[in-house]
Amino acid sequence: MLKQIEGSRAMAEGIALCRPEVICAYPITPQTHIVERLGELVKEGDLANCEFINVESEFAALSVAIGASAAGARAYTATASQGLLFMAEAVYNASGLGLPIVMTLGNRAIGAPINIWNDHSDAMSMRDAGWLQLFAETNQEALDLHIQAFRLAEELSMPAMVCVDGFILTHAVERVDIPDQAQVDAYLPPYDPVQVLDPAEPASIGAMVGPEAFTEVRFLAHYKQTQALRLLPAYAEEFRAAFGRESGGLLRRYRTEDAALVVVAMGSVCGTIKDTIDEMRADGVAIGLVTLVAFRPFPVEALRDALAGARDVVVVEKSIAVGMGGQLATDVDAALRNLPEPPRLHSAVAGLGGRPITRRSLHRLFRQATDAPWEGTHFLDLNEQVVGREIHRTRKTRRSGPTAENLLRVLAEPAREAK
Amino acid sequence: MDEQHVATAPAEAVQKLRYYQKGTFTVGNRLVAEEERTVQASTHRSNALTCGHRACQGCGEALGARYAVDAAMRATGNNLIAVNATGCLEVFTTPYPETSWQLPWLHSLFGNAAAVATGVAAAMRVKGKPHVRVLAQGGDGGTTDIGFQCLSGMFERNDDVLYVCYDNEGYMNTGVQRSSATPPAARTATTPALGPEPGNVFGTGKSVPKIAVAHGIPYVATATVADLHDLERKVTKAMSIRGARYIQIDVPCPLGWGAPSQDTILLARLAVECGLYPIFEAEHGVVTHVRKIRRVTPVREYLKRQRRFAHLFRDGRDDPRLARLQAQCDANIREYGLVGPAGEDE
């Protein structure tokens, strides 16, 4: 059914259709509306046979989900940013135990300085935690990915994170097709756990493992992720056949056929990038886009195929490995490494802490990649004047004070002067 | 021969006994009515924590866990799932690929056992198996320190979990460091017996049983491996109740306390008899029963048997801080009414 609906509420309705049995809720912006709506659905009885538990922290949220999942229940929770970091130990634990929990991540920056707006730093902080990580481009895909995530997670017995851009998707009201229960039931079978706590068949789960088997346990987790590389396209295809729309898979190509310049990005920014590409195509620039849906597992081969014909690749990402550069760029670089004639890779960090990524800036960035390529990592729309002043000031004064507050003061100065 | 009550149970549940060996305060199982005998006396006991584990000789925690979990299994007809915090109990029972647990058992992390147990209980409800109950267990570090937030959350939501804390008063698994359950003056690796104020600092630490009582949960009890019958009775009672329940058991650690393995029960008994470890029960925020001290013992008798307190007895002299510990015992005795006329404890 088509609805004009907020992204969070649409996701909540889609998640409810997956018949979760235990939902752990803890508020953190910008995911909160999702669990709020799920709470309503449980209270109203629309989501039956579901335990909705208001926990005291994100660490508890995922821990409750771990217990529920190990005891055979379909478990769901949602978080963002600091919340993901606060539950970090449990994030690794859930995957180490092989528990198919599905979690929405309302992507948000990580402090300090505290910032509630969107970027992908939170997802990147857990990129090696053993979870499947799928990025949604639109609210429709955000809803659809949850349905696929439950199926994939439970098939492989490993947890899945659906990454949804905070505010840009979670709080945007747009048209979403909400499937009906019968469609979802036909696509997503009931949870049939591979391991379960059962007094009839007592098993110990979570034993201490030493050097004699730890490598093998980790190898098998990695192997399962490679299985997901095969299952993701298959499930996306099944999804298309059943629901009549494209969602999920490993990656999507947009106008890449003859593209000399290919952009790689994840999440909602791909919409703006597509608009930019259309405009540049109209000007005769051979440019295309690869939208990564699967970040973990990282689709090395599919990406290599998609980028093999390009002369330049620009990675636009909303996160930064401080001291290294773009994280997604590093992974893309690994995919290109063994090509006989690899394209030149250009890494750009954009949209940190919710800074808008505009078509105007993207036009400039993409042209610069071919005309005047930069070294290292490019920070899109960096205010170089402010940065320069701060560097100068901290060199001059030992007790230079807190950086973030100083920057804000500098930015406020023109306004003060205008008065 | 004295005629007394078994001193630990409420009057209505108590069988009148004769102590055949005057002065010992011990009663063999054969003198107790069959239905009151310890679970361990039954050939049908579940052996939840079976032999072959790697606990140290004289480990109070292994003893307490075996009695607690077996009693809980009997009370639930073996419909029990255990969740374990990281710690000695987890490590010595499940070195891969072996396990000593004869019941479904899950170890997730150090600080989240209470929350994981909440999840298991929720799963049992939603799966239509409310008769399957959940027991979470951990040491004092996993309970009073790192697991405290999850514990308090579980209490506050009144989740249907029995949480058992095996309190050996320190981080023994990591090599005997201080926890918030470490008593004042005790030497640990992080409160060394050095300087003008050797050992753990006075005026620190917290009573999680009291904090549990403050949550108003249906049942809170302290227990000791010196009175395993009482421990079993408390576990059985806890399993007859729905909602959040907390039992904290004093479990001496020969390694951490610096005491001979054969003194585990003796030390546990002295801890009670000196007043340092009050044994009580509370229901819905109100203390309902206190185990009276049979023979009040000076705290120095308890302390002097442990190397962690050796600095209090240096050069054959009693350290003045012994008086502070005795004052703490006396305060406990007054607060809980631990001393009274014989038989008043019923």
Side-chain angles (χ1 to χ4, degrees):
Chain A
M1 186 177 52
L2 290 178
K3 276 190 186 177
Q4 192 71 13
I5 187 171
E6 189 202 50
S8 293
R9 292 177 76 85
M11 279 183 268
E13 297 195 6
I15 291 155
L17 293 170
C18 296
R19 301 184 187 277
E21 293 168 307
V22 175
I23 294 172
C24 317
Y26 190 78
I28 182 168
T29 303
Q31 63 77 32
T32 312
H33 292 181
I34 302 172
V35 289
E36 283 176 358
R37 178 63 186 140
L38 283 166
E40 288 174 357
L41 291 168
V42 173
K43 272 270 189 198
E44 290 165 351
D46 292 334
L47 175 50
N49 203 36
C50 178
E51 293 275 334
F52 186 86
I53 302 174
N54 282 296
V55 292
E56 78 285 351
S57 71
E58 289 90 356
F59 179 63
L62 192 52
S63 298
V64 170
I66 285 169
S69 185
R74 182 172 285 166
Y76 169 84
T77 190
T79 192
S81 180
Q82 316 296 137
L84 184 69
L85 295 195
F86 196 63
M87 64 164 70
E89 193 189 12
V91 172
Y92 273 79
N93 190 250
S95 62
L97 292 171
L99 298 173
I101 298 157
V102 170
M103 176 162 71
T104 311
L105 186 67
N107 292 116
R108 168 184 150 182
I110 288 172
I114 186 167
N115 176 300
I116 62 165
W117 292 279
N118 167 244
D119 69 30
H120 290 171
S121 309
D122 50 4
M124 291 299 135
S125 77
M126 289 296 130
R127 65 182 181 167
D128 305 325
W131 286 54
L132 302 156
Q133 286 184 308
L134 309 175
F135 278 79
E137 183 178 342
T138 63
N139 280 343
Q140 183 68 62
E141 188 169 44
L143 185 158
D144 295 346
L145 281 181
H146 282 90
I147 302 169
Q148 297 184 31
F150 274 111
R151 175 134 180 229
L152 184 68
E154 289 171 10
E155 173 62 24
L156 293 171
S157 202
M158 68 196 311
M161 201 182 289
V162 179
C163 302
V164 182
D165 283 322
F167 293 109
I168 299 168
L169 294 181
T170 56
H171 287 54
V173 175
E174 56 181 32
R175 195 184 76 167
V176 178
D177 189 352
I178 313 277
D180 59 46
Q181 187 66 63
Q183 277 182 300
V184 177
D185 285 348
Y187 182 82
L188 177 64
Y191 174 33
D192 181 13
V194 301
Q195 56 178 350
V196 68
L197 296 166
D198 179 4
E201 288 180 66
S204 294
I205 303 175
M208 184 168 210
V209 175
E212 71 277 22
F214 198 83
T215 303
E216 285 68 24
V217 172
R218 280 289 172 271
F219 173 84
L220 289 170
H222 185 65
Y223 171 76
K224 276 204 278 186
Q225 288 255 351
T226 62
Q227 296 296 102
L229 288 172
R230 179 175 56 78
L231 289 177
L232 271 163
Y235 286 172
E237 179 51 32
E238 260 186 69
F239 190 91
R240 193 195 55 73
F243 295 82
R245 58 177 173 268
E246 305 270 353
S247 277
L250 297 175
L251 52 79
R252 278 189 297 276
R253 303 162 187 236
Y254 183 76
R255 305 188 78 166
T256 55
E257 318 78 48
D258 58 341
L261 172 62
V262 177
V263 183
V264 178
M266 302 192 294
S268 60
V269 72
C270 291
T272 314
I273 294 173
K274 284 176 187 170
D275 288 346
T276 310
I277 285 171
D278 288 346
E279 288 162 4
M280 291 178 75
R281 280 272 178 185
D283 290 343
V285 181
I287 181 170
L289 168 71
V290 169
T291 302
L292 278 176
V293 180
F295 178 64
R296 287 293 180 269
F298 195 74
V300 171
E301 282 180 32
L303 193 61
R304 189 183 296 149
D305 291 347
L307 301 178
R311 197 169 59 234
D312 290 281
V313 170
V314 180
V315 178
V316 179
E317 63 185 301
K318 294 182 175 180
S319 63
I320 167 83
V322 177
M324 170 58 193
Q327 288 153 313
L328 180 58
T330 307
D331 286 3
V332 172
D333 196 25
L336 302 178
R337 195 181 296 151
N338 293 327
L339 282 173
E341 286 176 61
R344 290 190 299 183
L345 186 77
H346 313 278
S347 168
V349 169
L352 296 185
R355 176 164 297 184
I357 301 174
T358 62
R359 293 206 308 275
R360 177 201 292 263
S361 297
L362 288 174
H363 271 285
R364 209 171 49 236
L365 179 78
F366 298 153
R367 289 192 185 278
Q368 196 184 334
T370 47
D371 300 348
W374 59 88
E375 285 292 315
T377 306
H378 178 83
F379 286 73
L380 191 69
D381 295 337
L382 180 74
N383 189 333
E384 289 177 12
Q385 200 192 348
V386 168
V387 167
R389 276 184 62 170
E390 178 64 6
I391 291 170
H392 178 67
R393 203 180 58 77
T394 53
R395 276 192 190 141
K396 223 169 52 182
T397 320
R398 172 67 204 164
R399 182 159 295 182
S400 54
T403 297
E405 286 70 12
N406 283 326
L407 288 186
L408 291 175
R409 195 178 307 121
V410 168
L411 287 169
E413 271 169 14
R416 247 202 320 269
E417 280 163 16
K419 279 182 194 167
Chain B
M1 279 182 285
D2 285 354
E3 189 169 276
Q4 290 188 10
H5 291 134
V6 171
T8 52
E12 68 276 9
V14 172
Q15 179 199 354
K16 285 217 167 188
L17 287 174
R18 287 172 186 280
Y19 291 108
Y20 281 78
Q21 287 176 295
K22 196 168 175 178
T24 63
F25 293 108
T26 57
V27 176
N29 257 304
R30 63 194 173 85
L31 300 178
V32 184
E34 201 144 334
E35 66 276 9
E36 295 221 4
R37 287 182 189 173
T38 167
V39 178
Q40 299 302 322
S42 167
T43 52
H44 300 295
R45 68 184 189 272
S46 45
N47 279 330
L49 176 55
T50 200
C51 58
H53 60 72
R54 264 80 148 176
C56 306
Q57 205 176 37
C59 173
E61 186 174 36
L63 181 66
R66 180 183 168 91
Y67 271 74
V69 180
D70 273 2
M73 286 186 79
R74 182 171 73 173
T76 56
N78 293 346
N79 286 304
L80 187 71
I81 294 172
V83 174
N84 217 125
T86 308
C88 272
L89 183 62
E90 168 260 326
V91 170
F92 76 67
T93 57
T94 56
Y96 176 91
E98 295 156 14
T99 179
S100 281
W101 297 104
Q102 305 299 302
L103 80 169
W105 179 93
L106 174 64
H107 162 244
S108 173
L109 296 168
F110 200 4
N112 71 354
V116 172
T118 290
V120 175
M124 290 304 110
R125 278 195 299 280
V126 80
K127 288 292 180 187
K129 294 189 278 189
H131 59 285
V132 178
R133 309 293 297 280
V134 187
L135 182 151
Q137 53 186 354
D140 50 287
T143 304
T144 72
D145 287 345
I146 197 170
F148 187 69
Q149 179 176 304
C150 286
L151 184 73
S152 177
M154 186 274 279
F155 286 167
E156 166 275 316
R157 293 185 301 267
N158 198 24
D159 293 328
D160 189 25
V161 173
L162 168 61
Y163 193 105
V164 180
C165 170
Y166 305 104
D167 176 15
N168 58 18
E169 304 183 340
Y171 291 88
M172 303 319 185
N173 186 46
T174 45
V176 195
Q177 293 83 19
R178 177 203 183 269
S179 81
S180 59
T182 301
R187 177 207 68 188
T188 69
T190 49
T191 55
L194 299 170
E197 297 282 334
N200 193 28
V201 180
F202 278 82
T204 62
K206 56 179 152 181
S207 165
V208 170
K210 272 188 174 177
I211 297 169
V213 171
H215 282 76
I217 58 175
Y219 187 70
V220 176
T222 55
T224 168
V225 288
D227 193 341
L228 293 162
H229 217 111
D230 179 60
L231 165 60
E232 284 184 337
R233 188 186 60 75
K234 284 169 173 166
V235 170
T236 306
K237 182 170 181 179
M239 295 316 293
S240 74
I241 298 167
R242 290 277 174 178
R245 291 143 288 144
Y246 180 72
I247 297 178
Q248 181 170 305
I249 309 170
D250 186 32
V251 291
C253 170
L255 175 81
W257 293 14
S261 305
Q262 71 268 23
D263 280 359
T264 295
I265 303 299
L266 174 66
L267 287 174
R269 185 181 302 129
L270 289 172
V272 175
E273 301 288 279
C274 71
L276 200 57
Y277 214 93
I279 303 296
F280 69 95
E281 286 173 288
E283 294 178 45
H284 298 287
V286 179
V287 175
T288 54
H289 182 258
V290 170
R291 183 196 195 279
K292 298 290 185 186
I293 296 174
R294 288 164 177 151
R295 266 186 299 214
V296 180
T297 311
V299 72
R300 83 183 299 285
E301 295 305 310
Y302 168 65
L303 303 172
K304 73 181 187 188
R305 290 175 161 82
Q306 306 171 53
R307 280 200 305 281
R308 64 175 172 157
F309 294 111
H311 55 278
L312 296 176
F313 303 95
R314 233 170 246 160
D315 311 322
R317 282 199 309 271
D318 282 6
D319 187 286
R321 288 175 312 135
L322 266 173
R324 291 187 73 178
L325 280 157
Q326 186 59 55
Q328 189 173 325
C329 295
D330 297 343
N332 283 343
I333 289 169
R334 281 194 303 277
E335 181 183 348
Y336 290 92
L338 296 174
V339 175
E344 199 183 285
D345 56 294
E346 300 127 41

